Amino acid sequence: QLNLNSLAQLNLSGQRSRKRIFGPLLSFSSNPNLIGVSIGGNNLEGPIPPDFLKDVDHNMDIKIDLSFNMLTGAVPLTLDAFTKLDINLIGDNIDKLDNTFCDNDEWMAGADQRYGCETILCPKNKYHPRGRQIDDSRDCKDYDPGEDAPFMGSLTCRSQGLLFEEGIIPTQIY
C-alpha cells in the first residue's frame, strides 16, 4: 500500500495528450504535509471537494494551481480557514465565490486585501487577460454588451472561446 502522508509538493500540471489526468479532483484530505498542489491544465472535472486539504495546517503558506481544468460549482467555504493561500482557478467553470473570501489579508500574497475577490477570480461577466486582478495596471473589465460569461475567471470577453490577449500564455499566468 502506498503511503503519501509525507508528500509536501505535487506537480502534475499540463499532462500532455493521452496522459492528462481525468476525473474528479481528489481531496488530499489525508495529506497533512501538502503545501503545494499544481495540477492545472488537465481534465479534472466536478466540484472542488469540501474537505479539500482538510488536514493541512491552515497557518502554512499554501500554493494551489487547479487552473484550466473543468472544475465546476462554488469554491468551498472550508478553504476560508486557510490563513495564507494562493489559489489559481482561472480557466475552470467556477460560478460562485463567497464574499467571505474577499477579505483574507494574507491570501494571494496579500493582494486579496487590496483587490478583494477579484484577486482570486474576475466575477461573472467580467474579464482580465489573467482571469483575475493581480496589480493596479488593469481591473477586471465588463463584458461587451450582448456577451455573457457564466463562469468566473474569464480571460477575454470574446464569445468565440478561450482567446488570449496581450500575448499571455497559461505558463505565464501562475
Side-chain angles (χ1 to χ4, degrees):
Q1 180 178 357
L2 185 62
N3 182 344
L4 298 175
N5 286 343
S6 61
L7 182 66
Q9 298 277 338
L10 177 67
N11 185 350
L12 297 171
S13 291
Q15 299 298 306
R16 305 269 190 255
S17 66
R18 294 175 302 201
K19 296 181 181 179
R20 284 191 176 193
I21 301 169
F22 292 86
L25 175 63
L26 299 176
S27 70
F28 300 103
S29 61
S30 59
N31 298 95
N33 298 309
L34 195 57
I35 58 169
V37 176
S38 184
I39 48 181
N42 284 288
N43 289 325
L44 298 173
E45 57 190 12
I48 300 169
D51 60 344
F52 186 67
L53 302 177
K54 178 184 75 166
D55 289 342
V56 172
D57 181 349
H58 291 123
N59 295 311
M60 296 293 294
D61 191 1
I62 310 295
K63 296 193 184 315
I64 307 297
D65 180 6
L66 304 174
S67 64
F68 297 102
N69 280 289
M70 296 178 289
L71 299 173
T72 59
V75 176
L77 288 172
T78 51
L79 292 180
D80 192 52
F82 286 96
T83 305
K84 299 176 186 177
L85 182 66
D86 191 333
I87 188 165
N88 188 347
L89 298 166
I90 63 167
D92 284 316
N93 297 329
I94 301 297
D95 60 8
K96 184 166 189 211
L97 182 65
D98 195 275
N99 287 337
T100 60
F101 295 111
C102 301
D103 62 355
N104 292 323
D105 294 347
E106 297 184 65
W107 274 42
M108 311 303 280
D112 196 41
Q113 180 182 17
R114 189 168 190 173
Y115 307 114
C117 280
E118 291 191 4
T119 301
I120 302 167
L121 290 169
C122 286
K124 293 178 188 179
N125 295 318
K126 289 195 171 200
Y127 73 99
H128 188 285
R130 292 190 169 117
R132 59 187 182 181
Q133 184 173 354
I134 58 170
D135 57 33
D136 289 330
S137 67
R138 190 169 188 181
D139 298 339
C140 292
K141 301 285 185 197
D142 289 326
Y143 260 54
D144 292 337
E147 291 194 312
D148 182 42
F151 305 115
M152 304 178 81
S154 294
L155 301 172
T156 72
C157 69
R158 298 180 192 113
S159 58
Q160 304 161 351
L162 192 62
L163 302 172
F164 296 101
E165 294 182 4
E166 301 177 9
I168 296 171
I169 58 174
T171 57
Q172 295 174 320
I173 292 173
Y174 191 72

